[in-house]
């Protein structure tokens, strides 16, 4: 057990942080011409927070990016002001609170990769009578609170919000997500699909 002392993840993220800081000249969140906010999870205090222009102006873009890829056990946590942080997407996959707090805005676009399209889960009625139905129900339960958070934010933003379903969310579930990183041959196709869906959503929003 003592060997686990100091352990917060198998892989380290220094290279990613260094790359972004080199490419963006160690740009800090407070220097962004457009306000930036990103969701993070404080693993010490068990709290969800938001880093960015208004809250952590001295944190560099490299460190913010490094936090967004920090996943417990897989990639080590990131220290900021004495606390360790990981990707806030573990708590909320479509975080829209900054758009609510710093608005009102004429229009808000939410880019969805992993939640059900239009935030409407599949109808799983009769799951208990189907072979492996428990697996399907369990998978849906795992996403239930993410969907609920997003639907509440959608209700609060009302007609000002447009959700862009960039890809088929089934591709980002479980082992499918890791397959995309192992076999990158589908990336061009997914990029084109995401581009076309986003273009249509933006055109409709502008009108």
């Amino acid at each position: 057990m003592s060997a686990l002392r100091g352990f917060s993840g198998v892989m380290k993220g220094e290279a990613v942080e260094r790359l972004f800081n080199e490419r963006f000249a160690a740009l800090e969140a407070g220097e962004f011409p457009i306000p930036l906010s990103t969701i993070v999870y404080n693993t010490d205090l068990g709290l969800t927070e938001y880093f960015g222009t208004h809250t952590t102006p001295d944190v560099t873009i490299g460190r913010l990016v490094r936090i967004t890829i920090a996943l417990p056990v897989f990639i080590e946590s990131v220290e900021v002001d004495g606390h360790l942080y990981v990707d806030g997407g573990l708590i909320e996959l479509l975080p829209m609170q900054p758009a609510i707090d710093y608005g009102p805005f004429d229009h808000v676009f939410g880019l969805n990769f992993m939640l059900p399209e239009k935030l409407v889960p599949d109808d799983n009625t009769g799951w208990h009578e189907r072979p492996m139905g428990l697996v399907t129900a369990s998978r849906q339960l795992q996403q239930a609170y993410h969907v609920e958070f997003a639907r509440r934010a959608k209700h609060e933003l009302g007609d000002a919000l447009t959700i862009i379903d960039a890809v088929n969310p089934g591709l980002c579930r479980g082992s499918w997500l890791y397959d995309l990183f192992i076999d990158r041959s589908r990336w061009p196709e997914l990029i084109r699909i995401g581009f076309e869906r986003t273009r249509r959503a933006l055109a409709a929003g502008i009108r």
Side-chain angles (χ1 to χ4, degrees):
M1 293 301 292
S2 63
L4 293 176
R5 185 178 294 120
F7 174 81
S8 66
V10 175
M11 294 181 285
K12 301 184 181 298
E14 293 103 332
V16 172
E17 180 176 357
R18 185 168 59 251
L19 172 65
F20 274 84
N21 283 338
E22 289 174 353
R23 296 293 177 90
F24 292 93
L27 183 70
E28 296 179 348
E31 299 174 320
F32 272 75
I34 298 174
L36 168 74
S37 185
T38 181
I39 189 171
V40 299
Y41 179 69
N42 186 324
T43 62
D44 294 340
L45 303 179
L47 296 174
T48 300
E49 302 176 22
Y50 289 89
F51 282 0
T53 307
H54 299 286
T55 53
T56 56
D58 298 331
V59 176
T60 65
I61 180 64
R63 179 133 295 203
L64 291 177
V65 171
R66 181 176 171 183
I67 293 173
T68 65
I69 65 169
L71 298 174
V73 181
F74 295 105
I75 302 177
E76 67 177 2
S77 304
V78 183
E79 189 273 333
V80 175
D81 293 335
H83 290 295
L84 292 177
Y85 291 88
V86 295
D87 176 23
L90 295 169
I91 308 301
E92 190 171 4
L93 283 172
L94 197 60
M96 290 183 275
Q97 194 61 43
I100 297 171
D101 291 343
Y102 300 121
F105 296 101
D106 294 334
H107 211 92
V108 176
F109 292 92
L111 198 59
N112 175 35
F113 289 94
M114 303 184 75
L115 297 180
E117 293 190 7
K118 303 186 185 301
L119 304 182
V120 178
D122 296 333
D123 185 345
N124 205 24
T125 303
W127 62 268
H128 62 292
E129 298 178 345
R130 292 193 293 267
M132 301 300 291
L134 180 61
V135 174
T136 304
S138 298
R139 186 181 300 120
Q140 195 170 68
L141 178 61
Q142 290 171 0
Q143 270 198 342
Y145 67 93
H146 290 290
V147 175
E148 181 60 21
F149 284 159
R151 288 168 65 88
R152 292 185 184 188
K154 179 181 179 181
H155 176 75
E156 187 159 356
L157 290 168
D159 294 337
L161 174 66
T162 295
I163 299 291
I164 302 173
D165 298 304
V167 295
N168 177 357
L171 294 174
C172 299
R173 294 176 186 164
S175 61
W176 287 103
L177 178 61
Y178 297 99
D179 286 343
L180 289 177
F181 287 92
I182 296 172
D183 178 10
R184 292 175 288 179
S185 62
R186 296 198 60 187
W187 284 20
E189 172 197 359
L190 295 175
I191 291 171
R192 284 193 295 269
I193 292 173
F195 174 81
E196 287 301 323
R197 291 185 177 188
T198 303
R199 183 182 63 80
R200 290 194 298 268
L202 290 174
I206 292 173
R207 288 199 297 270

